[in-house]
Amino acid sequence: MKIVSCNSNRPLAQAVADNLQLPLVNASVRRFADMEIFVEFHENIRGEDVFVLQSTSAPANDHLMELLITMDALRRSSARRITAVVPYFGYARQDRKTGPRTPISAKLVANLITEAGADRVLTLDLHAGQIQGFFDIPVDNLFAAPLFVQDIKARYAGRNLMVVSPDVGGVVRARAIATRLHTDLAIIDKRRPQAGVSEVMNVIGDVRDRDCIIVDDIIDSGGTHCNAAEAIMRNGARSVSVYVTHGVFSGGAVARVGASSIEMLTVTDSIAATEAVQTGANVRQLPIAPLLAEAMRRISEESSVSSLFD
Ligand code: R5P
């Protein structure tokens, strides 16, 4: 078993390698003067079970291309099996035609990853579970939910909790956490008049005097969660905190969260923390490396990954 790190999240790759007590493969992923990517391994790869770790976070296209070129190099180095470990799978929100003459970019990215040489994919909280079907190779989709539940129980013990889905699309994810916490579920009726802009139409459920926990897969501009928090507080909640798997945090999202009524926003480190995230007063990160490492160990030993979530 060997672990290769591309450049999008080296601290996570190192943490995974430390968990597995393995060194990262000695490799260089670098740029030519014209910004073309070049990859070179400085050790033998032949016959190895190789895991390539890369989140396709911003700059998404560069990070995707790095992943593809790395897998191409691995295939040409005679790796026995290549697993693309993509903790944050970018382009996942483009998983259907949103209008006439538009792409399904998530499918294109799945094709690219497969064509570049991946034998299987390991990812975390895919935006939509059915994206697994865009691949004709095995996909293991891990869930941050158990980690969130454990953290919520420890951090919010004794509070009058209520789980909130920030939109209708997130109900299944939020309900899974509400069930594990034995608490109620509220739903935000969200409207997106245009890309990057969200509006709260209604809060469905009685949030009065509750300590609300919004659960979601992605925070991008922060609009969804900040608007939801304001609406929930207007409806009489006692507090609002947020748990999100992937901290995309584009533009001034961290500042927006800082200026909102969100008590604390917790994200995993599936995407490397920017300085703004590291210093954000009401933002914290939960390490995902132990979960990824255990899943990788099980894949390598051909044992069950799903039983991690029993
Ligand atoms: C939408 O379906 C996702 O689950 C997130 O709610 C959304 O991507 C968050 O975007 P933003 O932070 O820009 O409102």
Side-chain angles (χ1 to χ4, degrees):
M1 176 180 187
K2 286 199 183 269
I3 307 170
V4 173
S5 175
C6 294
N7 284 318
S8 73
N9 198 343
R10 293 193 79 89
L12 177 62
Q14 190 60 60
V16 167
D18 291 348
N19 262 272
L20 291 165
Q21 297 181 307
L22 285 172
L24 289 171
V25 166
N26 184 5
S28 8
V29 181
R30 54 179 199 271
R31 301 296 168 108
F32 289 120
D34 61 357
M35 299 308 280
E36 280 185 6
I37 297 161
F38 177 70
V39 176
E40 189 174 16
F41 303 110
H42 306 295
E43 59 187 84
N44 186 31
I45 299 295
R46 193 176 293 270
E48 299 286 357
D49 186 15
V50 188
F51 293 79
V52 191
L53 207 138
Q54 176 82 320
S55 276
T56 49
S57 51
N61 302 333
D62 283 359
H63 286 155
L64 174 62
M65 202 64 199
E66 251 184 41
L67 172 64
L68 300 177
I69 291 176
T70 302
M71 290 195 294
D72 185 71
L74 285 170
R75 191 172 47 169
R76 292 173 199 282
S77 308
S78 307
R80 177 169 53 85
R81 181 171 68 172
I82 302 170
T83 302
V85 183
V86 190
Y88 171 64
F89 184 83
Y91 280 105
R93 286 172 287 178
Q94 297 185 47
D95 58 354
R96 63 197 177 286
K97 285 187 74 166
T98 49
R101 300 173 295 280
T102 58
I104 304 180
S105 307
K107 171 62 179 154
L108 173 63
V109 169
N111 287 349
L112 289 169
I113 288 175
T114 309
E115 280 303 308
D119 295 296
R120 53 189 309 133
V121 172
L122 174 63
T123 187
L124 173 70
D125 277 340
L126 272 177
H127 180 60
Q130 55 269 29
I131 293 172
Q132 290 171 79
F134 291 0
F135 290 92
D136 284 327
I137 53 176
V139 177
D140 289 300
N141 181 28
L142 305 178
F143 305 107
L147 189 68
F148 287 170
V149 168
Q150 197 185 20
D151 194 71
I152 293 167
K153 280 183 177 165
R155 202 177 168 87
Y156 298 92
R159 312 264 291 255
N160 187 16
L161 294 181
M162 185 165 199
V163 173
V164 181
S165 172
D167 50 37
V168 174
V171 169
V172 172
R173 184 179 296 112
R175 187 183 292 127
I177 291 192
T179 304
R180 284 168 186 241
L181 290 171
H182 307 290
T183 189
D184 304 319
L185 177 71
I187 301 166
I188 304 283
D189 173 19
K190 178 179 98 173
R191 201 178 66 130
R192 243 194 219 294
Q194 62 189 80
V197 179
S198 66
E199 283 172 12
V200 173
M201 307 306 287
N202 288 297
V203 179
I204 304 168
D206 186 1
V207 295
R208 221 169 322 135
D209 296 328
R210 307 297 290 264
D211 294 292
C212 293
I213 307 280
I214 301 174
V215 176
D216 207 353
D217 62 329
I218 298 171
I219 178 163
D220 190 342
S221 68
T224 297
H225 307 100
C226 293
N227 293 343
E230 305 316 320
I232 291 167
M233 292 306 282
R234 268 200 311 275
N235 278 258
R238 199 181 289 158
S239 69
V240 185
S241 290
V242 181
Y243 278 76
V244 183
T245 308
H246 307 295
V248 172
F249 292 116
S250 56
V254 177
R256 193 169 187 178
V257 169
S260 75
S261 49
I262 295 172
E263 178 182 306
M264 182 56 72
L265 186 142
T266 304
V267 280
T268 77
D269 53 359
S270 66
I271 296 176
T274 58
E275 204 190 320
V277 172
Q278 283 168 21
T279 56
N282 58 349
V283 178
R284 61 190 272 269
Q285 278 197 310
L286 274 186
I288 205 73
L291 176 65
L292 279 178
E294 180 58 21
M296 287 161 61
R297 190 184 62 74
R298 289 176 182 221
I299 290 170
S300 191
E301 291 173 355
E302 309 284 359
S303 61
S304 168
V305 172
S306 64
S307 61
L308 264 173
F309 303 97
D310 286 345

